[in-house]
């Protein structure tokens, strides 16, 4: 295909620029023939894009445009904003700031798709900005990225493109930690400056103040006129004194202020920038008040404020008045690149059904969680729980394996079990003791290491990663697991290290610099971590060590939750420490890019943390989908307040702290579009028997069914009958989503006037046959439908609770339709399309329950793996009784399961009692 041929890369870039400038692919196609003949135009384009004339014909010109047009359907940026846009252009000059920055990304081996994403996003944002806001007031927008997805690169791209288009001063509000501010400042300076060849001259204005006597802080000397090629930027800490000094300095010269065309980029805008005082009072929190003072100033020529965050919940749920920082003008949604490993890939979503693509989650049992709590409260030597031992062993194995494949960059393990500093010290000490014991008893432990390595190599093969990441840009560079014998040699080498070098904090060399060794560097990263003659906080080498990848075990809490990238993160051991969605998502340091070690990362989570991340994955996807759908209709945030999915159960998740979402109002519980299935089942014989008999009695109490191949169907079943069945159906305690059935029943009673009576479907395997003889226990109206077969997910199940991953078959959702539906419709798997099909055939108001009897699945693990050798990630159920599973589907626009939604009141009236609605949960 022409679009994939590397020789056309410059032509693709040329066409992408034409598309952005002309606004439509058909205009690009037609633009070829303007002036001169078609062949003359093709020859000119060929010369511009370094092609041979014979390589560019009218046929492959059209083929390429068709290819790019189709590729664009997979949008990488979505904008919810005003319809009016400015006349900004994508710079084409090779010495422009944008083109030079783009060249730098190419040299850093960024993929073509990633660079194109940055270009498109920067241009979409730029088109919404203004260099003249004296009359209408400042522009305010929001850019929603992803955790660990390269947000700084997107900010740098926007800065470069905005500078080329005339913006002359850039202010980046960078978190609350000084060393991270310095890192951001240095990186942006290096990104913007390119060996003196640029058309523009960049000046870094660091910590400006009226008290400063430094020449570079004399704003009266700044060149800010229209023809000036000078550009200025300041990276400012979100600190009261720094912001106050910046504001006084910036507006000290009124004549210069009139020339300023400012772009303010608020990095991690949900942190510190939000007003957490009562929004109905004039007293704002200090940082919020100062940012407002910076932005709501009409003494400058142009003022634009853009909030960047991966967790935008507070930004769209807090203050919405004209002077607030609410993104009134636009919201831009950045889609991650094809190489990003994020929530969807690791946790999946359940509505619509998307299974985790990358199965790297490992379980911390309830017993192990309890042991960890005791462990971190004690200074006494204690045996480590199995899950923590496994995670330490896996880290040892990954260090050895990655050294064997000659990976040279740092390799890290994250241990995050508590926010308390004393807990960090105790856990770190226990890990150190374990590794020294490991060294002394290595030969006894080695067989366990080998088994773990072989199991993990089978459970998550290289081919599984490549299958999951179909569009990955560097498939050929994804490594495979080295043979055990190679790994063993590198572990043997570590074991021979002196005790002080096997594990220690980071030593300090003779010149006061970090002196890294070949063992494990034990890091405690919190605000109080210190030690004599050693570095306790995390510091990675500035350059790769000459011959070996350094290893780091990082124990910590709050300091690991924002802004910090853990390099080469292969192993995470994580216990839930908060139920707050934005904080929890920012703790997920395992999201991001894993170039060169894609197959090695593993994450140990307790059950509640896993449930919360699954809910967050769904919540994020629904918010993004909603922004996408409203963007299609050309709405702006002024017209529409984005809704955020909320949980019925505050113990599961809170969106953010209540004082960060003060304009939020709860929408009534909305189960329209609810479509959820039981996937957790408890190995409790009494519960299993109860559900079997209860389902059998319920189905036999209904009139005679229609038999349709493998389905038994009852239509027009009353709400009272359904209510009686669901009230007495026992849901597994781990199935948090289906625990909302009582709220669903209440909602269906309230909304019964809008719904028809129910369809009930019993799904089976093979043709439903009449009962032969009287001995069959599962006799439904004289028929004996065969049980369905399901297995459990190996890494998401315990001895007592099975997680089957998915219960329903999408075709079952259409089985109650009386008319003959088209074959392609019957094979449809997308939930959204199934709703449309049901509506087409007159079932738009019919709620449905599908009942599954699942075979108890008696089979040994050994026999199962012999029969299904390619399904190592699953195991047989081995339950004492058959299982009853159900799927409940309510018609309407999909709103997810067990949820309500909240959105900001665009006209705040103060009637909403927030403290009553958002009850704070006591954290561990």
């Amino acid at each position: 295909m022409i679009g994939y041929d590397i020789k056309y890369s410059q032509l693709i870039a040329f066409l992408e620029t034409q598309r952005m400038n002309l606004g439509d692919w058909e205009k690009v196609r037609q633009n070829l023939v303007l002036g001169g003949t078609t062949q003359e135009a093709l020859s000119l384009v060929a010369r511009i894009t370094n092609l041979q004339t014979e390589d560019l014909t009218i046929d492959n010109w059209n083929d390429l445009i068709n290819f790019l047009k189709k590729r664009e359907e997979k949008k990488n940026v979505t904008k919810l904003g005003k319809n009016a846009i400015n006349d900004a252009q994508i710079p084409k000059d090779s010495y422009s700031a944008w083109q030079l920055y783009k060249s730098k990304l190419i040299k850093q081996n960024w993929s073509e798709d990633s660079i194109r994403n940055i270009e498109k996003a920067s241009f979409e944002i730029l088109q919404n900005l203004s260099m003249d806001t004296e009359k209408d007031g400042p522009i305010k927008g929001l850019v929603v990225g992803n955790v660990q997805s390269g947000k700084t690169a997107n900010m740098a791209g926007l800065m470069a493109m905005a500078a080329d288009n005339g913006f002359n001063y850039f202010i980046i509000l960078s978190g609350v930690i000084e060393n991270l501010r310095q890192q951001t400042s240095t990186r942006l300076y290096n990104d913007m400056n390119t060996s003196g060849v640029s058309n523009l001259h960049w000046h870094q204005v660091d910590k400006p103040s009226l008290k400063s006597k430094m020449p570079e802080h004399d704003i009266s000397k700044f060149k800010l006129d229209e023809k000036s090629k000078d550009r200025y930027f300041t990276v400012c800490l979100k600190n009261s004194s720094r912001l106050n000094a910046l504001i006084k300095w910036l507006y000290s010269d009124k004549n210069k202020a009139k020339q300023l065309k400012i772009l303010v980029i608020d990095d991690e805008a949900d942190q510190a920038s939000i007003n957490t005082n009562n929004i109905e009072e004039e007293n704002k929190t200090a940082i919020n008040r100062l940012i407002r003072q910076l932005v709501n100033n009409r003494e400058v020529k142009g003022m634009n404020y853009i909030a960047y965050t991966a967790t935008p919940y507070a930004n769209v749920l807090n203050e919405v008045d004209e002077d607030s920082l609410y993104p009134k003008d636009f919201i831009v949604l950045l889609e991650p690149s094809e190489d990003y490993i994020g929530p969807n890939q690791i946790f999946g979503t359940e509505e619509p059904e998307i299974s985790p693509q990358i199965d790297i989650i490992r379980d911390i049992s309830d017993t192990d969680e309890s042991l960890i709590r005791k462990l971190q409260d004690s200074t006494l030597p204690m045996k480590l729980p199995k899950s923590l031992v496994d995670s330490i062993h896996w880290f040892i194995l990954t260090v050895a394996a990655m050294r064997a494949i000659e990976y040279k960059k740092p390799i890290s393990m994250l241990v995050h079990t508590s926010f308390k500093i004393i807990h960090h010290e105790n856990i770190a000490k226990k890990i150190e003791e374990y590794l020294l014991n490991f060294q002394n008893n290595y030969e006894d432990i080695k067989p366990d290491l080998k088994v773990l390595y072989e199991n993990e190599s089978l459970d998550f093969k290289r081919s599984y990663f490549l299958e999951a990441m179909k569009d990955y840009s560097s498939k050929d560079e994804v490594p495979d697991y080295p043979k055990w014998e190679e790994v063993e040699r590198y572990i043997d080498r570590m074991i021979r290290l002196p005790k002080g070098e096997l594990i220690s904090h980071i030593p300090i060399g003779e010149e006061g610099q970090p002196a890294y060794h070949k063992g494990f560097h034990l890091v405690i990263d919190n605000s109080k971590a210190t030690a004599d003659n050693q570095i306790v906080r995390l510091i990675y080498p500035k350059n790769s060590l000459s011959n070996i990848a350094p290893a780091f075990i990082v124990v910590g809490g709050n300091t690991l939750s924002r802004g910090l990238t853990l390099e080469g993160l292969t192993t995470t051991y994580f216990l839930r420490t908060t139920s707050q969605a934005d904080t929890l998502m920012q703790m997920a340091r395992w999201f991001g890019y894993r170039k060169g070690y894609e197959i090695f990362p593993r994450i140990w989570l307790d059950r509640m943390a896993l449930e919360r991340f699954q809910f967050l994955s769904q919540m994020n996807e629904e918010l993004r989908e909603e922004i996408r759908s409203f963007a299609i209709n050309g709405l702006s945030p002024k017209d529409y307040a984005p809704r955020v999915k909320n949980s019925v159960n505050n113990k599961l998740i809170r969106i953010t702290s209540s004082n960060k979402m003060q304009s939020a109002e709860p929408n009534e519980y909305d189960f329209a579009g609810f479509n959820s299935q039981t996937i957790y089942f408890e190995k409790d014989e009494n519960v299993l028997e109860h559900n079997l008999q209860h389902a059998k009695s319920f189905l036999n109490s209904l009139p005679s069914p229609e038999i349709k191949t493998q389905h038994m169907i009852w239509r027009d079943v009353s709400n009272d009958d359904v209510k009686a069945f669901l009230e007495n159906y026992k849901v597994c305690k781990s199935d948090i989503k289906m625990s909302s059935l009582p709220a669903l029943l209440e909602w269906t009673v309230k909304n019964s006037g809008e719904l028809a009576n129910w369809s009930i479907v019993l799904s089976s395997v093979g043709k439903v046959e009449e009962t032969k003889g009287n001995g069959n226990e599962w006799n439904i109206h004289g028929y004996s439908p065969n049980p369905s077969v399901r297995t459990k997910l190996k890494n998401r199940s315990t001895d007592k609770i099975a997680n089957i991953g998915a219960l329903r078959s999408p075709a079952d959702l259409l089985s109650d339709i009386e008319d003959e539906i088209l074959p392609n419709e019957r094979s449809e798997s997308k939930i959204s399309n199934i709703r449309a099909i049901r509506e087409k055939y007159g079932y738009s108001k019919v709620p449905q329950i599908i009942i599954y009897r699942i075979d108890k699945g008696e089979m040994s693990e050994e026999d199962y793996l012999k029969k299904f050798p390619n399904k190592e990630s699953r195991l047989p159920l081995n339950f004492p009784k058959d299982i009853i599973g159900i799927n409940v589907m309510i018609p309407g626009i999909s709103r997810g399961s067990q949820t309500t939604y909240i959105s900001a009141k665009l006209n705040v009236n103060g009637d909403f009692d927030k403290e009553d609605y958002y009850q704070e949960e006591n954290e561990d």
Side-chain angles (χ1 to χ4, degrees):
M1 176 68 187
I2 184 173
Y4 293 106
D5 193 326
I6 194 167
K7 70 182 177 182
Y8 292 101
S9 57
Q10 289 190 45
L11 176 58
I12 289 173
F14 171 81
L15 290 172
E16 292 276 9
T17 302
Q18 290 282 304
R19 160 69 181 86
M20 288 185 183
N21 291 336
L22 294 173
D24 183 85
W25 279 115
E26 293 311 312
K27 289 180 180 176
V28 175
R29 195 191 304 273
Q30 294 162 14
N31 196 49
L32 179 69
V33 297
L34 296 179
T37 66
T38 300
Q39 189 54 52
E40 287 173 345
L42 285 170
S43 298
L44 177 60
V45 172
R47 287 199 302 275
I48 293 171
T49 57
N50 290 323
L51 286 169
Q52 298 297 319
T53 303
E54 58 270 19
D55 287 334
L56 190 56
T57 66
I58 190 63
D59 287 339
N60 58 21
W61 167 269
N62 285 319
D63 283 347
L64 185 54
I65 289 177
N66 292 336
F67 163 76
L68 294 172
K69 187 177 180 181
K70 186 176 180 181
R71 187 171 72 174
E72 194 177 83
E73 290 173 4
K74 181 187 173 185
K75 297 195 72 171
N76 50 45
V77 56
T78 303
K79 180 177 65 186
L80 178 67
K82 57 187 181 180
N83 292 322
I85 58 175
N86 58 40
D87 59 355
Q89 299 287 318
I90 296 178
K92 302 180 184 68
D93 188 331
S94 58
Y95 297 112
S96 64
W98 164 248
Q99 291 297 339
L100 289 171
Y101 179 61
K102 187 175 178 180
S103 298
K104 180 173 283 191
L105 293 177
I106 292 169
K107 289 176 183 176
Q108 292 173 350
N109 295 319
W110 284 65
S111 72
E112 182 188 331
D113 272 358
S114 297
I115 296 172
R116 188 176 67 254
N117 286 0
I118 292 173
E119 181 173 79
K120 287 189 175 183
S122 300
F123 188 63
E124 289 281 2
I125 297 166
L126 184 61
Q127 286 184 305
N128 284 271
L129 306 184
S130 175
M131 289 188 285
D132 187 352
T133 60
E134 291 175 290
K135 181 180 177 182
D136 297 328
I139 300 293
K140 295 172 185 175
L142 172 66
V143 177
V144 182
N146 292 272
V147 174
Q148 301 268 92
S149 65
K151 193 162 69 298
T152 306
N154 276 278
M155 292 191 298
L158 175 60
M159 282 177 62
M161 202 175 286
D164 287 328
N165 277 272
F167 283 83
N168 56 22
Y169 204 102
F170 301 85
I171 298 169
I172 297 87
L173 305 178
S174 178
V176 295
I177 300 171
E178 173 60 16
N179 66 341
L180 293 179
R181 183 203 72 82
Q182 291 173 355
Q183 287 176 22
T184 301
S185 187
T186 301
R187 175 175 171 179
L188 288 174
Y189 182 79
N190 291 334
D191 284 342
M192 294 301 105
N193 283 276
T194 314
S195 307
V197 298
S198 174
N199 289 338
L200 302 177
H201 312 299
W202 286 89
H203 305 273
Q204 183 177 1
V205 187
D206 204 32
K207 300 180 189 176
S209 167
L210 288 175
K211 296 177 182 179
S212 173
K213 302 299 182 184
M214 292 189 287
E216 59 267 31
H217 287 169
D218 186 354
I219 197 169
S220 65
K221 300 284 177 43
F222 283 18
K223 297 175 182 177
L224 301 169
D225 58 276
E226 292 284 343
K227 295 181 180 179
S228 174
K229 297 297 183 181
D230 285 13
R231 300 293 184 265
Y232 303 85
F233 79 93
T234 296
V235 179
C236 183
L237 206 63
K238 293 186 195 178
N239 168 289
S240 296
S241 59
R242 297 274 184 93
L243 277 167
N244 202 33
L246 171 65
I247 292 165
K248 288 179 179 178
W249 170 84
L250 190 67
Y251 300 127
S252 61
D253 188 324
K254 293 188 182 298
N255 292 325
K256 286 296 178 183
K258 286 293 182 186
Q259 295 179 305
L260 286 169
K261 298 165 187 174
I262 297 176
L263 175 56
V264 178
I265 294 175
D266 189 348
D267 191 13
E268 303 290 2
D270 61 314
Q271 182 189 35
S273 304
I274 303 297
N275 175 36
T276 54
N277 287 346
N278 191 329
I279 65 172
E280 293 166 15
E281 298 177 2
E282 292 186 9
N283 183 32
K284 310 298 180 187
T285 48
I287 304 301
N288 178 265
R289 174 177 52 79
L290 287 165
I291 296 175
R292 283 171 174 242
Q293 193 177 330
L294 171 68
V295 172
N296 294 318
N297 188 305
R298 299 202 181 189
E299 294 179 9
V300 298
K301 181 67 175 173
M303 174 58 73
N304 300 263
Y305 169 83
I306 305 178
Y308 271 78
T309 181
T311 47
Y313 322 123
N315 302 87
V316 298
L317 294 175
N318 204 40
E319 299 173 278
V320 295
D321 60 86
E322 190 64 25
D323 289 333
S324 75
L325 301 178
Y326 184 79
K328 63 183 179 62
D329 295 299
F330 66 90
I331 298 175
V332 165
L333 190 66
L334 301 181
E335 300 292 357
S337 83
E338 71 279 18
D339 295 342
Y340 179 69
I341 301 170
N344 280 7
Q345 286 75 26
I346 294 176
F347 297 106
T349 62
E350 292 191 18
E351 184 62 49
E353 283 174 19
I354 300 174
S355 297
Q357 297 168 278
I358 297 175
D359 191 14
I360 57 174
I361 303 295
R362 304 295 177 258
D363 181 58
I364 300 174
S365 68
D366 293 344
T367 302
D368 281 9
E369 181 189 355
S370 178
L371 287 172
I372 288 289
R373 304 293 182 200
K374 293 176 183 176
L375 198 72
Q376 61 194 11
D377 277 321
S378 173
T379 56
L380 299 174
M382 293 176 67
K383 186 177 179 181
L384 301 188
K386 182 179 184 304
S387 57
L388 182 55
V389 170
D390 283 347
S391 68
I392 294 170
H393 285 181
W394 180 247
F395 184 59
I396 294 169
L397 288 164
T398 58
V399 171
M402 289 165 69
R403 286 176 176 176
I405 62 173
E406 299 185 0
Y407 186 90
K408 296 293 175 62
K409 297 176 183 176
I411 307 170
S412 302
M413 174 181 185
L414 167 63
V415 181
H416 190 160
T417 60
S418 170
F419 284 135
K420 294 183 180 179
I421 289 171
I422 187 62
H423 290 170
H424 303 158
E425 295 170 358
N426 289 342
I427 287 288
K429 186 65 177 174
K430 302 287 193 305
I431 292 172
E432 181 180 20
E433 290 168 355
Y434 180 79
L435 281 170
L436 293 174
N437 177 71
F438 175 89
Q439 187 177 36
N440 293 331
N441 297 279
Y442 173 54
E443 291 302 325
D444 294 333
I445 297 172
K446 188 188 288 189
D448 293 339
L449 284 175
K450 183 179 180 182
V451 169
L452 179 62
Y453 187 72
E454 290 176 345
N455 285 344
E456 288 295 339
S457 302
L458 290 172
D459 289 346
F460 187 61
K461 297 178 180 177
R462 178 180 184 270
S463 60
Y464 297 171
F465 177 86
L466 295 176
E467 185 179 346
M469 304 290 285
K470 294 186 186 302
D471 297 324
Y472 204 65
S473 69
S474 50
K475 290 183 178 181
D476 293 342
E477 296 169 27
V478 176
D480 206 345
Y481 299 96
K483 292 180 180 178
W484 163 250
E485 289 74 20
E486 294 180 68
V487 174
E488 183 183 21
R489 282 199 296 273
Y490 277 88
I491 300 175
D492 290 347
R493 177 69 185 88
M494 283 188 264
I495 293 304
R496 292 195 295 270
L497 292 170
K499 281 185 168 55
E501 194 175 335
L502 176 71
I503 182 165
S504 74
H505 298 314
I506 301 170
I508 298 176
E510 293 180 3
E511 298 179 3
Q513 298 299 314
Y516 301 97
H517 52 61
K518 296 178 181 179
F520 299 98
H521 303 91
L522 182 61
V523 171
I524 306 176
D525 205 89
N526 59 41
S527 56
K528 293 188 178 179
T530 58
D532 294 334
N533 302 317
Q534 288 183 314
I535 301 168
V536 182
R537 296 290 295 270
L538 179 60
I539 299 176
Y540 287 119
K542 291 183 179 179
N543 301 302
S544 296
L545 300 184
S546 58
N547 59 352
I548 199 164
F552 298 83
I553 299 175
V554 186
V555 181
N558 276 341
T559 58
L560 302 176
S561 65
R562 275 187 193 264
L564 181 66
T565 297
L566 293 171
E567 297 183 29
L569 181 62
T570 66
T571 311
T572 301
Y573 193 86
F574 186 94
L575 289 182
R576 63 183 176 92
T577 50
T578 180
S579 66
Q580 203 163 285
D582 47 8
T583 304
L584 192 63
M585 187 64 92
Q586 292 288 352
M587 290 176 182
R589 299 290 94 192
W590 52 81
F591 297 146
Y593 301 94
R594 299 289 173 255
K595 292 289 185 178
Y597 62 102
E598 292 88 344
I599 58 172
F600 292 109
R602 300 290 186 275
I603 306 161
W604 275 260
L605 293 178
D606 66 294
R607 184 182 59 79
M608 182 61 81
L610 176 59
E611 291 288 344
R612 286 173 172 170
F613 277 113
Q614 286 175 330
F615 186 91
L616 277 178
S617 179
Q618 181 67 36
M619 186 172 92
N620 258 15
E621 190 56 36
E622 288 195 13
L623 177 60
R624 288 171 165 272
E625 190 56 47
E626 192 150 271
I627 291 173
R628 290 183 195 112
S629 64
F630 279 86
I632 291 170
N633 296 319
L635 296 177
S636 77
K638 278 185 177 179
D639 307 315
Y640 160 73
R643 300 180 318 154
V644 182
K645 181 174 182 173
N646 193 21
S647 172
V648 169
N649 182 1
N650 265 346
K651 295 277 179 158
L652 174 65
I653 206 80
R654 286 199 317 271
I655 291 169
T656 186
S657 57
S658 55
N659 59 3
K660 281 188 175 182
M661 49 183 180
Q662 297 183 65
S663 290
E665 57 178 353
N667 299 335
E668 186 176 327
Y669 288 129
D670 184 2
F671 285 93
F674 179 99
N675 188 15
S676 196
Q677 57 190 325
T678 47
I679 60 171
Y680 289 94
F681 299 100
E682 191 171 3
K683 194 181 282 189
D684 183 318
E685 189 165 354
N686 292 328
V687 170
L688 295 169
E689 180 64 25
H690 167 85
N691 281 344
L692 275 167
Q693 295 306 321
H694 179 53
K696 179 180 174 183
S697 298
F698 168 63
L699 294 172
N700 280 320
S701 71
L702 302 176
S704 295
E706 176 189 340
I707 308 299
K708 191 188 284 188
T709 314
Q710 65 192 57
H711 298 105
M712 301 179 73
I713 301 160
W714 293 263
R715 297 186 183 86
D716 203 30
V717 178
S718 73
N719 209 53
D720 289 341
D721 287 339
V722 170
K723 186 170 180 287
F725 169 67
L726 291 179
E727 280 179 336
N728 287 291
Y729 174 76
K730 294 186 182 295
V731 177
C732 174
K733 62 185 179 183
S734 295
D735 207 330
I736 295 173
K737 297 220 175 337
M738 289 300 279
S739 68
S740 61
L741 285 179
L744 179 142
L745 289 168
E746 184 181 333
W747 182 87
T748 52
V749 170
K750 281 184 183 179
N751 293 272
S752 58
E754 299 177 19
L755 298 172
N757 280 342
W758 293 72
S759 286
I760 307 296
V761 178
L762 176 62
S763 179
S764 66
V765 173
K767 188 177 180 181
V768 174
E769 303 282 1
E770 291 186 15
T771 301
K772 297 175 181 177
N774 298 320
N776 194 307
E777 292 183 8
W778 188 247
N779 184 325
I780 310 297
H781 285 278
Y783 292 90
S784 298
N786 296 316
S788 301
V789 177
R790 299 289 186 273
T791 55
K792 65 182 180 182
L793 290 166
K794 178 180 176 181
N795 293 322
R796 303 210 175 177
S797 303
T798 65
D799 292 338
K800 295 181 180 179
I801 295 173
N803 179 339
I804 64 171
L807 169 70
R808 66 188 171 215
S809 164
D812 293 339
L813 299 169
L814 302 173
S815 59
D816 57 325
I817 295 175
E818 288 188 83
D819 297 333
E820 190 64 37
I821 67 174
L822 299 173
N824 65 312
E825 292 175 331
R826 189 168 296 283
S827 63
E828 181 55 63
S829 61
K830 290 186 179 177
I831 299 299
S832 57
N833 289 353
I834 283 172
R835 293 187 195 286
I837 295 167
R838 290 184 69 82
E839 183 172 349
K840 171 184 172 182
Y841 289 95
Y843 284 70
S844 61
K845 293 187 176 182
V846 179
Q848 179 198 71
I849 293 177
I850 305 172
I851 297 175
Y852 297 83
R853 172 179 156 231
I854 304 168
D855 188 272
K856 58 187 177 181
E858 287 183 302
M859 184 184 290
S860 71
E861 182 176 342
E862 184 180 2
D863 289 343
Y864 173 82
L865 292 174
K866 283 180 181 177
K867 189 173 182 180
F868 305 104
N870 296 321
K871 293 188 177 181
E872 303 98 331
S873 63
R874 287 188 169 269
L875 291 174
L877 289 168
N878 277 319
F879 267 45
K881 297 272 185 182
D882 286 352
I883 302 165
I884 295 295
I886 63 171
N887 185 87
V888 181
M889 181 168 66
I890 307 294
I893 298 172
S894 177
R895 301 296 185 206
S897 59
Q898 62 150 13
T899 57
T900 180
Y901 286 77
I902 58 177
S903 59
K905 291 182 181 179
L906 294 181
N907 295 304
V908 182
N909 57 29
D911 294 337
F912 173 44
D913 186 351
K914 302 161 199 71
E915 290 305 317
D916 181 56
Y917 188 74
Y918 295 106
Q919 235 175 346
E920 295 291 336
E921 175 192 353
N922 291 322
E923 299 295 354
D924 292 328

